[in-house]
């Protein structure tokens, strides 16, 4: 049996779903000879660790109680359980030091999987040190990999110990597929894709003639958007995904090197207009332009999609016309699709398509990444 100690950073929707997946998959993992031993969980304000990371773990009852607490919007500092688990709670100023101590203790012996399901850039420093201490890092958080090239180089300096499939396409095998192509010596010369479930939904709905304002409000009510839809409409999330792919392909560029098309002007930014004002008034002003672009594309036999394009020195994200009968043109709803063109996939690209959003799908991708590094952990 291989035992993998796990520390989870980020206990939002994806983090909680990951803990649920770990609990519900116990029998499956046992049949595979793997046991995930959760020894620590961190949220934005505090961290909680078992009192002895060498031998103890949070039991499943405790993990489910913790998830319920966090789903109610409470902090780990308020945790009160009768499960009998011995643990210590630390405020964030002490959490980083504790994490490094744990990594130093476990890294050279039984190993540690540090899992980042947060949306914070503050995890970068800890993860760089953890990698140096011989531990593994699994990420759904895009920010560490889209930081400076110096940070990026440090994180990927031990490629066997890092997994980040869920940073780009939730549970889709985007990173794994690109790595397989590159390791075979095949050269990738073009990548184009729709990598936002939110913007994929928006563009396919306006294609049907619905006003952008109506579609965005519907997407928000369905839970497809962030609380402030401008976080999606800005294109920044897609740009981060494009940067991760571009760097994987060897481009040494930063976020400010990417041309990003926002679906709203700066005068409607969050520093100028409230969320309510944007939804009630700002969005209506965007309807006409988008509809005109939809009609123009239709006359050309095309449809509009919000895509990322990586080709040569070009790396950009924005609205483009694509043929109706192409994989991108046939895309509907919140699915993601990526087309990879290489020497071997020249006339017909490799196409990866499927659900590209959602806590469940993303957490499943993270869990698969954790299991993918099991060979780095000793058998007990």
């Amino acid at each position: 049996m291989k035992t993998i100690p796990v520390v989870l950073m980020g206990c939002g929707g994806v983090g909680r779903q990951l803990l649920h997946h770990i609990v519900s998959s116990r029998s499956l993992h046992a049949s595979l000879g793997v046991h995930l031993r959760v020894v620590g969980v961190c949220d934005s304000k505090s961290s909680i660790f078992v009192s002895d990371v060498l031998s103890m773990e949070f039991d499943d009852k405790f993990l489910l109680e913790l998830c319920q607490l966090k789903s109610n919007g409470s902090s780990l500092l308020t945790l009160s359980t009768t499960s009998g688990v011995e643990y210590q709670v630390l405020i964030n100023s002490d959490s980083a030091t504790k994490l490094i101590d744990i990594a130093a203790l476990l890294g050279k012996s039984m190993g540690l999987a540090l899992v980042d399901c947060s949306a914070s850039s503050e995890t970068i420093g800890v993860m760089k040190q953890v990698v140096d201490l011989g531990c593994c890092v699994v990420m759904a958080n895009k920010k560490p990999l889209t930081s400076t090239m110096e940070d990026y180089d440090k994180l990927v300096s031990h490629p066997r110990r890092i997994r980040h499939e869920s940073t780009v396409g939730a549970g889709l095998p985007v990173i794994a597929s690109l790595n397989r192509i590159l390791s075979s010596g095949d050269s990738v010369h073009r990548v184009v894709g729709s990598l936002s479930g939110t913007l994929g939904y928006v563009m396919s709905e306006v294609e049907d003639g619905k006003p952008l304002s109506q579609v965005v409000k519907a997407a928000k009510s369905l839970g497809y958007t962030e609380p402030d839809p401008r976080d999606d409409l800005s294109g920044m999330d897609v740009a981060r995904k494009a940067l991760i792919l571009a760097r994987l392909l060897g481009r040494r560029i930063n976020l400010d090197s990417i041309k990003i098309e926002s679906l709203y002007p700066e005068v409607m930014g969050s520093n100028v207009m409230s969320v309510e004002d944007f939804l009630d008034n700002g969005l209506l002003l965007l309807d006409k332009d988008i509809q005109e672009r939809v009609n123009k594309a239709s006359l050309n036999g095309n449809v509009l999609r919000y895509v990322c394009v990586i080709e040569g020195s070009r790396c950009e994200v924005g609205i483009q016309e694509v043929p109706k009968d192409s994989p991108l043109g046939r895309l509907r709803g919140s699915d993601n699709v990526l087309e990879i063109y290489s020497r071997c996939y020249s006339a017909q690209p490799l196409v990866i398509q499927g659900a590209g959003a959602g806590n469940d799908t993303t957490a499943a991708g993270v869990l698969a990444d954790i299991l993918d590094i099991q060979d780095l952990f000793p058998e007990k």
Side-chain angles (χ1 to χ4, degrees), residues 63-245:
L63 293 176
L64 294 177
E65 286 181 14
L66 187 151
C67 287
Q68 184 61 50
L69 176 86
K70 291 300 301 178
S71 66
N72 293 334
S74 301
S75 166
L76 293 175
L77 293 170
T78 64
L79 186 65
S80 176
T81 180
T82 58
S83 69
V85 179
E86 295 182 23
Y87 61 88
Q88 61 179 141
V89 180
L90 301 172
I91 59 173
N92 264 359
S93 58
D94 300 320
S95 298
T97 302
K98 179 66 175 180
L99 265 174
I100 299 305
D101 289 344
I102 291 174
L105 181 64
L106 298 180
K108 302 302 182 183
S109 55
M110 63 183 66
L112 172 71
L114 181 61
V115 182
D116 187 359
C117 290
S118 73
S120 172
S121 57
E122 295 178 5
T123 61
I124 298 172
V126 169
M127 286 196 296
K128 288 195 299 182
Q129 293 184 68
V130 164
V131 168
D132 268 349
L133 290 168
C135 300
C136 297
V137 168
V138 175
M139 282 178 278
N141 182 9
K142 292 177 279 292
K143 290 181 180 176
L145 293 173
T146 56
S147 182
T148 64
M149 280 305 306
E150 180 183 1
D151 287 340
Y152 179 84
D153 288 341
K154 170 60 73 173
L155 286 172
V156 302
S157 60
H158 301 284
R160 287 288 293 114
R161 298 206 295 265
I162 182 172
R163 292 292 184 278
H164 58 96
E165 190 67 78
S166 293
T167 58
V168 174
L172 294 178
V174 172
I175 303 296
S177 299
L178 275 172
N179 276 328
R180 285 178 64 86
I181 291 172
L182 295 171
S183 63
S184 74
D186 193 1
S187 54
V188 176
H189 56 80
R190 175 178 165 86
V191 172
V192 57
S194 174
L195 295 175
S196 166
T198 302
L199 293 178
Y201 171 84
V202 167
M203 299 314 297
S204 62
E205 290 291 293
V206 297
E207 177 189 331
D208 292 338
K210 298 175 184 175
L212 177 70
S213 55
Q214 177 186 324
V215 171
V216 171
K217 290 177 183 177
K220 187 175 189 300
S221 67
L222 290 169
Y224 289 171
T225 74
E226 295 295 329
D228 185 343
R230 287 170 295 190
D231 292 342
D232 300 290
L233 301 178
S234 68
M236 185 57 69
D237 182 64
V238 178
R240 289 188 186 279
K241 294 176 180 179
L243 180 58
I244 290 170
L245 295 179

Side-chain angles (χ1 to χ4, degrees), residues 362-375:
T362 304
V366 173
L367 182 55
D369 271 351
I370 298 172
L371 295 175
D372 194 44
I373 55 175
Q374 63 179 280
D375 61 311

Side-chain angles (χ1 to χ4, degrees), residues 202-322:
V202 167
M203 299 314 297
S204 62
E205 290 291 293
V206 297
E207 177 189 331
D208 292 338
K210 298 175 184 175
L212 177 70
S213 55
Q214 177 186 324
V215 171
V216 171
K217 290 177 183 177
K220 187 175 189 300
S221 67
L222 290 169
Y224 289 171
T225 74
E226 295 295 329
D228 185 343
R230 287 170 295 190
D231 292 342
D232 300 290
L233 301 178
S234 68
M236 185 57 69
D237 182 64
V238 178
R240 289 188 186 279
K241 294 176 180 179
L243 180 58
I244 290 170
L245 295 179
R247 285 177 167 178
L248 185 64
L249 295 174
R251 315 293 197 271
R252 297 189 64 79
I253 60 174
N254 293 313
L255 203 55
D256 58 9
S257 306
I258 300 177
K259 182 181 177 183
I260 306 170
E261 178 184 1
S262 173
L263 296 192
Y264 64 88
E266 287 186 18
V267 294
M268 294 185 190
S270 57
N271 59 332
V272 179
M273 189 176 284
S274 69
V275 177
E276 293 73 20
D277 195 13
F278 176 73
L279 289 171
D280 293 340
N281 303 304
L283 270 174
L284 293 170
L285 302 176
L286 306 177
D287 285 344
K288 181 180 179 183
D289 177 64
I290 290 294
Q291 194 55 54
E292 287 177 350
R293 294 175 71 172
V294 169
N295 295 338
K296 179 177 176 293
S298 181
L299 291 174
N300 296 331
N302 297 325
V303 293
L304 297 183
R305 294 291 181 262
Y306 195 97
V307 301
C308 77
V309 179
I310 305 166
E311 187 172 23
S313 61
R314 177 187 177 199
C315 186
E316 59 185 62
V317 300
I319 296 177
Q320 291 201 10
E321 290 189 22
V322 299

